[in-house]
Amino acid sequence: MSFARVIHYATSILCCNKGSMDLLELYRKVFRRFEISEDHFWYIVRKCPRFAVVKNAGACDAASEERASDCTVVAKTSLRICKNYTKYECGDCQELHLCKYFVYGNCRYGKGRKQCKFSHDVRSEHNYPLLRECTLHELHEEDLFLLLLQNDPSLLPEVCSHYNKGSGPYGACTFKATCTKVHICQHFIQDDCRFGHRCKRLHTIDDFGRRMLEERGLSGEVIHDLPFIYKNVYRLNASVSYPEREAAVEPIARPLMQNEERTEICLHFIRRNCRFQDQCIRVHFNLPYKWEVFDGEGWRDLRRMEEIERAYCDPRNTHSPGSRPVDFLTMTRDSDPVRRLSTASSVTKPPHYILTTEWLWYYKGDHENWIEYGKPDDKQRVTSVASRDLELAFLTDGSAEVTVMKGHRQYYLSFQDMYQRNPKHNTKRRVRRRPRFVSITEVENKIARGMEQDVRKAHRYHQLEFAEIS
């Protein structure tokens, strides 16, 4: 059984159920096809960026004591429709080149003899690699389109905030029936409307809204599902993706492992001087990194750890070498989850601490190469921020957005989806955070030098102590 197959199947189920589903109901449907354990399924939903988990009345948070049965899973994607494609202003970018009305299900050119100027081919030479990179290449068209509608903010009109204020059939909206935003109850979308069917606000799309949406090109099927889609849009905006936090709701059955919080390697143990020994809250290991695989019962060490680490430190690599490679993007090997433990980030410790983990930040260049922030590109241009700056910002707020300058151009780097965006041209580049490679030999040499320094310090201390006694 492959985790990728489970993720694809769960995504298909969600899209067939208007983009979201109760967590336990989704698990039951997935279990009919894949006999996956509750722990493994919880791990996938919690760690995979394809899914957001929210409480039925709002976002789950780390302090929540709600059970998994109170939560909803919503399908996510970072893919977007390129806005500049239909303006003939985009050559090659990391966004889909598709006709917007084709996604709406109502392109008039696609149905007649006259061919549409814009692509209706989700598997085109430009689109297919993007779908494959996001593991969406096997998704049915209608499922992909629903996924885009509830994730791409440029595709649907906003909910009218003025309609949700004041009294009267149009609330405080001065445009009334000519408003280009959707008139629907905001509390209904947030799943907290106290009035239910007695509410004065709309819980469906009325005739005025339908005509406005049809003029925008939306098909009748999409318009019918819009209340559900807007609910999912709200849930996605209210949620926090699990890669940026630890657990949020109680696991379906039992915790994945008893000591899951012990994920930082002890710097003092590496130097052979941890005074807490077995009581230490950190992991005791002889390297500043540790690769482990979950075998269904617990975490166990992977073989050829240095080889895996060497591959992982190169931002070009998405897999480790060997017949059973580790997938660095999904952090799995075959169907089993993989994790990398490490020492504290170098930016959190003084410079004299040895064997901290130095994280380097890269963006994808124009020629499939990866360029470290703060280093010159092929045209000798340098970004305004370096790896250390980004690492500090990332540890301060893992969901923040950082402004980056390169020459006269301004970019925004989002830690949440790890993309660098150019707001002027609406293009984006992938970003990766990888550690600097440290070999086992280098670790041993650094430990030896550190121990020599400790001996010299102790020797000087005893000399001073002897002089005072004399």
Side-chain angles (χ1 to χ4, degrees):
M1 180 184 64
S2 165
F3 268 26
R5 304 307 305 166
V6 173
I7 291 168
H8 169 72
Y9 187 62
T11 304
S12 298
I13 292 172
L14 289 173
C15 292
C16 289
N17 285 270
K18 298 182 173 62
S20 63
M21 187 181 290
D22 287 345
L23 179 60
L24 292 181
E25 184 184 353
L26 177 63
Y27 170 68
R28 284 192 287 268
K29 285 184 176 290
V30 169
F31 186 77
R32 292 173 191 167
R33 173 74 66 87
F34 302 96
E35 292 187 7
I36 184 172
S37 71
E38 293 174 340
D39 281 350
H40 271 160
F41 183 71
W42 174 247
Y43 184 92
I44 292 172
V45 171
R46 184 165 65 96
K47 292 293 185 181
C48 182
R50 177 68 52 74
F51 310 111
V53 182
V54 296
K55 283 197 297 185
N56 291 335
C60 289
D61 55 53
S64 173
E65 295 181 357
E66 297 293 333
R67 298 186 61 83
S69 57
D70 297 321
C71 289
T72 296
V73 182
V74 188
K76 286 176 61 179
T77 181
S78 61
L79 269 183
R80 301 289 184 263
I81 300 291
C82 178
K83 296 177 185 176
N84 292 325
Y85 168 61
T86 53
K87 301 175 185 176
Y88 304 100
E89 294 176 359
C90 183
D92 186 24
C93 71
Q94 296 297 307
E95 297 183 331
L96 295 172
H97 286 182
L98 283 172
C99 168
K100 180 172 68 173
Y101 300 103
F102 175 55
V103 176
Y104 288 159
N106 205 26
C107 179
R108 56 180 177 169
Y109 295 110
K111 297 175 182 178
R113 293 180 180 178
K114 190 174 181 181
Q115 190 173 0
C116 183
K117 296 178 182 178
F118 307 110
S119 177
H120 285 204
D121 184 5
V122 297
R123 298 177 181 275
S124 68
E125 186 177 347
H126 174 87
N127 293 328
Y128 187 76
L130 299 176
L131 293 172
R132 188 173 184 82
E133 190 172 1
C134 295
T135 63
L136 294 172
H137 56 293
E138 295 182 6
L139 209 61
H140 292 304
E141 273 186 6
E142 57 269 26
D143 294 341
L144 174 65
F145 294 165
L146 185 140
L147 196 58
L148 291 170
L149 285 169
Q150 70 184 32
N151 283 273
D152 189 337
S154 69
L155 291 177
L156 296 177
E158 297 176 17
V159 172
C160 180
S161 59
H162 298 288
Y163 168 73
N164 281 276
K165 300 174 184 175
S167 58
Y170 300 103
C173 179
T174 55
F175 294 103
K176 298 183 178 180
T178 61
C179 184
T180 56
K181 296 183 179 180
V182 174
H183 284 193
I184 195 168
C185 174
Q186 185 70 48
H187 291 286
F188 168 73
I189 289 171
Q190 296 171 190
D191 269 335
D192 61 0
C193 182
R194 296 177 297 168
F195 303 104
H197 66 277
R198 294 179 288 106
C199 182
K200 295 179 180 178
R201 312 281 184 211
L202 292 168
H203 286 195
T204 58
I205 305 298
D206 67 355
D207 291 338
F208 293 109
R210 179 176 292 275
R211 282 196 290 271
M212 181 272 292
L213 293 165
E214 286 174 347
E215 287 174 4
R216 288 181 66 117
L218 276 73
S219 67
E221 289 183 9
V222 171
I223 294 171
H224 178 269
D225 291 341
L226 268 189
F228 303 99
I229 295 174
Y230 278 118
K231 278 190 176 187
N232 289 335
V233 170
Y234 173 79
R235 288 164 175 160
L236 289 169
N237 289 334
S239 72
V240 179
S241 60
Y242 273 98
E244 280 74 58
R245 62 183 179 183
E246 292 299 321
V249 292
E250 185 179 342
I252 297 173
R254 62 187 184 281
L256 198 58
M257 62 175 296
Q258 294 297 319
N259 298 317
E260 193 171 5
E261 69 276 5
R262 296 180 63 203
T263 57
E264 185 178 306
I265 296 173
C266 177
L267 286 166
H268 298 287
F269 177 81
I270 294 178
R271 293 187 60 169
R272 317 289 192 262
N273 62 359
C274 178
R275 56 193 177 91
F276 295 106
Q277 298 303 318
D278 294 340
Q279 302 301 314
C280 185
I281 62 171
R282 294 177 177 84
V283 175
H284 282 185
F285 194 61
N286 63 324
L287 293 173
Y289 48 84
K290 190 172 192 277
W291 287 88
E292 298 178 333
V293 60
F294 188 72
D295 61 5
E297 297 181 2
W299 295 98
R300 59 180 178 82
D301 292 357
L302 282 168
R303 295 180 180 179
R304 298 183 175 180
M305 213 170 283
E306 183 181 34
E307 191 176 303
I308 297 172
E309 179 72 8
R310 188 191 301 275
Y312 181 66
C313 291
D314 187 337
R316 295 172 298 179
N317 293 331
T318 58
H319 292 80
S320 67
S323 57
R324 299 181 66 195
V326 173
D327 187 325
F328 296 141
L329 300 183
T330 62
M331 289 303 276
T332 57
R333 190 190 68 171
D334 300 331
S335 62
D336 299 319
V338 168
R339 69 178 184 177
R340 178 188 181 276
L341 309 186
S342 105
T343 53
S345 177
S346 59
V347 301
T348 66
K349 299 293 181 183
H352 66 268
Y353 272 71
I354 65 168
L355 296 173
T356 53
T357 300
E358 183 183 1
W359 290 96
L360 304 178
W361 288 75
Y362 303 87
Y363 62 92
K364 196 170 186 180
D366 295 327
H367 308 290
E368 298 300 312
N369 57 328
W370 290 86
I371 303 163
E372 184 187 344
Y373 282 89
K375 303 292 185 183
D377 63 9
D378 53 353
K379 296 181 181 178
Q380 299 304 306
R381 297 171 300 184
V382 179
T383 56
S384 59
V385 295
S387 288
R388 182 176 177 83
D389 305 315
L390 292 174
E391 182 66 11
L392 280 168
F394 177 74
L395 294 179
T396 302
D397 183 359
S399 60
E401 194 173 75
V402 176
T403 301
V404 179
M405 299 296 297
K406 189 168 74 169
H408 299 295
R409 293 185 178 179
Q410 180 174 295
Y411 304 90
Y412 296 106
L413 193 165
S414 170
F415 293 143
Q416 205 155 16
D417 64 2
M418 295 298 277
Y419 273 105
Q420 174 186 287
R421 289 178 170 80
N422 182 330
K424 183 177 180 181
H425 299 288
N426 195 35
T427 56
K428 62 182 182 180
R429 296 175 184 269
R430 288 197 175 276
V431 173
R432 283 183 182 158
R433 174 184 182 248
R434 297 287 175 91
R436 185 185 294 282
F437 177 65
V438 182
S439 68
I440 293 175
T441 302
E442 190 176 346
V443 170
E444 292 171 347
N445 291 338
K446 285 188 175 185
I447 291 171
R449 287 196 298 270
M451 292 175 72
E452 287 174 6
Q453 291 172 3
D454 290 343
V455 170
R456 285 197 295 270
K457 287 178 184 177
H459 182 65
R460 284 198 299 270
Y461 173 78
H462 289 307
Q463 283 182 324
L464 292 170
E465 189 179 47
F466 180 77
E468 289 175 1
I469 295 173
S470 303

